[in-house]
Amino acid sequence: MSADIGLIGLAVMGENLVLNMESKGFTVAVHNRTTAKVDEFINGRGKDKKFIGCHSIEELCKNLKKPRKVMVMVRAGDAVDAMIEAVTPFMEAGDIFIDGGNSYFPDSTRRMKQLEQRGFLFVGTGVSGGEEGALNGPSMMPGGSPAAWPHVKPIFQAICAKVEDGSPCCDWVGEEGAGHFVKMVHNGIEYGDMQLICEAYHLLKHVLGMNNQQLHETFAEWNKGDLESYLVEITRDIFGKKDDEKPNEYLVDNILDVAGQKGTGKWTVIAALDMGMPLTMIGEAVFSRCLSAMKDDRVEASHVLPPGPRVQFQDKKKFPNSIRDAMFAAKMVSYTQGYLLMRAAAKEYGWKLNYGGIALMWRGGCIIRSKFLGKIKEAFDKNPQLHNLLFDPFFKDKVAHCQAGWREVASCAAQYGIPVPGITSALSYYDGLRCARLPANLLQAQRDFFGAHTFERVDKPRGQVFHANWTGHGGNTASSSYNV
């Protein structure tokens, strides 16, 4: 018996992925650095199934059909490079190395080029959905060597999640590191979605005084409308979970308010800065996690700095609807910014990204799966050249509908002294985007005044630059570069 694919790394994601593959009719060779884990799996969850347990990488490669397909599920970074060096001695030209971890996209571009130079093919694929998704159908975002796609497509599209019409939440993203780039943006958007939900929770709890049962009911209601999504659904369930150690209390209240992060959100923001894209919503989500980690400073500040203003809230009955609208509007901005970043990357690296297809990939299986993504798919189906999601009639009308509540929430949060950086930064972006003339003319005058950085004029063609002798005794020499 020979295997259709081999997988190295039987941790949570790897183990569940191979069980998924086997359930779809594929034979899978498995290996783990700690070989006892292989035996444990073969005699446990993999018992009497189509698995080949391998105690060495050489054994795994010998048991694979050609072209060999070796998928590794290991920690991003040096571990992937070490695995490439461990696997390739047992591979032949045309064999395929698949990195299924959360690798940084420039690393995937480098690995593809290096492996192709040696005659191998490379696939770097984002896999989203966590343990449940890996087992029952994840969202998969493969990129790398185009020649590899026909060989991995039958497996990937068989195991991935499907939307209502049966379409797979997996398709070829693009060459080089495009797959991992799209997964990185997915994770950045995930940061933003989670931040907005947390801000809504903060307002509902501390402005409206909702208890956990009321929070549970509110998120259950929201999950029936425009905000229907996996993250809103699990938030609903979180508010209903009692603490096993303290049965009379809710678990969420006993969790320390310090957020962790693995780096993909930070990578998304760095990529946006490198490309000059205003990824403000996701940036605030990353910085909010950083601020949460400063627990000792926050506790000290709560005793040292004066409290927020005491104001009387007037209409508590309608305010949850305003919070819902603010969440939805800010979410639209976050996705708009994410798509603009992907468009900028496609231009920068020469990738051909299918933006509607990416929305379809995210419709099911992944952490940000939601009803909302179907509308993004429809927007790009109607206009494949759509530059900005907010220009699509559906999203334009939705923002118009949500705008009053969005502004009310931003104003109320400021009055109460409650931080809502996601909601307010998204609103500032929206207001900045629709502002035909920003005060950057003054900023550029300042730059030219102190550094002779030059400026363009409204009454001259774009691209012509000028320098003014602001003080009357300065020179006419200007800086050699003007970057916009």
Side-chain angles (χ1 to χ4, degrees):
M1 180 173 68
S2 56
D4 299 294
I5 189 170
L7 187 137
I8 300 172
L10 290 173
V12 172
M13 288 294 287
E15 184 174 292
N16 283 287
L17 272 177
V18 295
L19 286 166
N20 186 343
M21 292 174 185
E22 194 275 344
S23 73
K24 301 302 187 297
F26 300 103
T27 299
V28 188
V30 296
H31 173 68
N32 196 77
R33 184 177 60 177
T34 306
T35 54
K37 176 68 175 174
V38 176
D39 298 329
E40 179 185 332
F41 174 74
I42 293 296
N43 295 318
R45 295 180 77 189
K47 189 176 178 63
D48 299 326
K49 298 184 188 301
K50 298 187 294 293
F51 292 110
I52 303 173
C54 303
H55 288 172
S56 69
I57 292 173
E58 181 178 10
E59 183 185 0
L60 178 133
C61 290
K62 284 182 177 178
N63 278 286
L64 295 178
K65 296 175 183 175
K66 296 181 181 179
R68 297 175 182 87
K69 296 171 282 292
V70 180
M71 185 171 188
V72 300
M73 298 295 293
V74 298
R75 186 183 296 274
D78 294 341
V80 179
D81 292 312
M83 195 57 66
I84 288 173
E85 293 310 308
V87 171
T88 49
F90 308 107
M91 296 172 70
E92 298 174 0
D95 287 349
I96 304 162
F97 183 94
I98 306 165
D99 175 13
N102 269 337
S103 288
Y104 194 29
F105 76 94
D107 289 339
S108 296
T109 295
R110 169 179 57 81
R111 288 166 184 147
M112 186 204 79
K113 292 177 179 178
Q114 290 174 344
L115 283 165
E116 287 188 346
Q117 286 173 357
R118 298 164 63 185
F120 306 120
L121 299 176
F122 172 83
V123 173
T125 183
V127 181
S128 179
E131 178 180 358
E132 179 187 350
L135 180 63
N136 299 315
S139 169
M140 302 184 72
M141 296 150 257
S145 306
W149 177 231
H151 300 288
V152 300
K153 178 180 179 179
I155 299 175
F156 283 11
Q157 292 196 337
I159 67 172
C160 72
K162 311 296 188 296
V163 293
E164 292 84 354
D165 65 359
S167 299
C169 296
C170 171
D171 205 347
W172 187 248
V173 174
E175 53 273 58
E176 299 181 341
H180 276 134
F181 185 91
V182 169
K183 176 57 163 59
M184 178 192 76
V185 174
H186 163 283
N187 284 25
I189 289 173
E190 178 185 310
Y191 274 55
D193 280 357
M194 294 171 74
Q195 176 64 25
L196 292 173
I197 291 171
C198 289
E199 291 176 14
Y201 159 56
H202 204 169
L203 290 163
L204 292 168
K205 184 178 178 70
H206 293 286
V207 174
L208 298 183
M210 284 191 180
N211 59 34
N212 287 318
Q213 181 58 35
Q214 291 169 321
L215 289 164
H216 170 82
E217 292 168 359
T218 298
F219 278 90
E221 184 64 30
W222 286 356
N223 199 46
K224 297 173 185 175
D226 288 332
L227 288 173
E228 179 188 333
S229 64
Y230 171 72
L231 285 169
V232 170
E233 178 186 329
I234 68 168
T235 302
R236 173 201 67 192
D237 296 343
I238 285 168
F239 286 123
K241 171 69 175 172
K242 290 293 187 74
D243 191 337
D244 292 338
E245 295 188 14
K246 298 180 177 179
N248 294 326
E249 300 177 14
Y250 287 89
L251 179 56
V252 68
D253 296 329
N254 293 326
I255 296 175
L256 185 68
D257 57 323
V258 172
Q261 53 185 318
K262 290 188 174 180
T264 46
K266 179 183 73 175
W267 291 346
T268 313
V269 177
I270 290 171
L273 290 169
D274 286 342
M275 294 178 209
M277 298 304 298
L279 203 76
T280 55
M281 169 68 237
I282 294 170
E284 288 294 350
V286 173
F287 288 131
S288 291
R289 294 197 187 193
C290 296
L291 181 60
S292 79
M294 298 168 62
K295 176 67 174 178
D296 293 341
D297 286 355
R298 290 189 290 112
V299 170
E300 181 180 359
S302 71
H303 298 300
V304 173
L305 300 179
R310 296 181 181 275
V311 293
Q312 186 65 38
F313 194 75
Q314 298 298 319
D315 190 350
K316 290 192 174 185
K317 185 175 266 190
K318 294 182 180 178
F319 196 53
N321 293 335
S322 295
I323 296 174
R324 178 201 61 206
D325 289 348
M327 272 184 65
F328 189 73
K331 182 184 177 84
M332 283 190 275
V333 167
S334 181
Y335 281 71
T336 294
Q337 292 178 347
Y339 267 81
L340 285 169
L341 177 60
M342 288 190 286
R343 187 176 290 280
K347 182 178 180 181
E348 176 79 13
Y349 301 112
W351 299 336
K352 295 179 177 64
L353 301 183
N354 179 350
Y355 302 106
I358 290 169
L360 179 64
M361 280 183 255
W362 292 348
R363 278 284 310 281
C366 68
I367 302 302
I368 65 170
R369 61 184 182 266
S370 67
K371 175 181 178 181
F372 175 86
L373 284 157
K375 296 298 182 182
I376 296 179
K377 175 72 165 61
E378 290 174 16
F380 283 108
D381 284 348
K382 287 185 294 183
N383 180 9
Q385 304 306 315
L386 180 65
H387 176 68
N388 187 305
L389 275 174
L390 294 176
F391 298 166
D392 174 76
F394 171 82
F395 292 103
K396 182 179 69 174
D397 291 345
K398 277 292 183 182
V399 170
H401 173 76
C402 293
Q403 190 173 172
W406 194 7
R407 295 187 187 282
E408 180 190 6
V409 169
S411 174
C412 176
Q415 288 180 317
Y416 269 75
I418 291 178
V420 288
I423 289 170
T424 53
S425 68
L427 182 57
S428 291
Y429 171 85
Y430 174 74
D431 285 339
L433 181 64
R434 62 177 190 80
C435 191
R437 186 167 172 84
L438 288 167
N441 55 316
L442 175 58
L443 191 151
Q444 201 57 30
Q446 292 169 332
R447 295 183 74 240
D448 190 57
F449 190 112
F450 67 69
H453 291 296
T454 72
F455 53 84
E456 294 176 274
R457 293 182 57 92
V458 296
D459 53 358
K460 299 292 183 182
R462 288 297 306 269
Q464 289 187 22
V465 296
F466 302 86
H467 167 59
N469 186 346
W470 295 93
T471 62
H473 51 75
N476 293 319
T477 303
S479 173
S480 60
S481 63
Y482 172 68
N483 297 316
V484 177

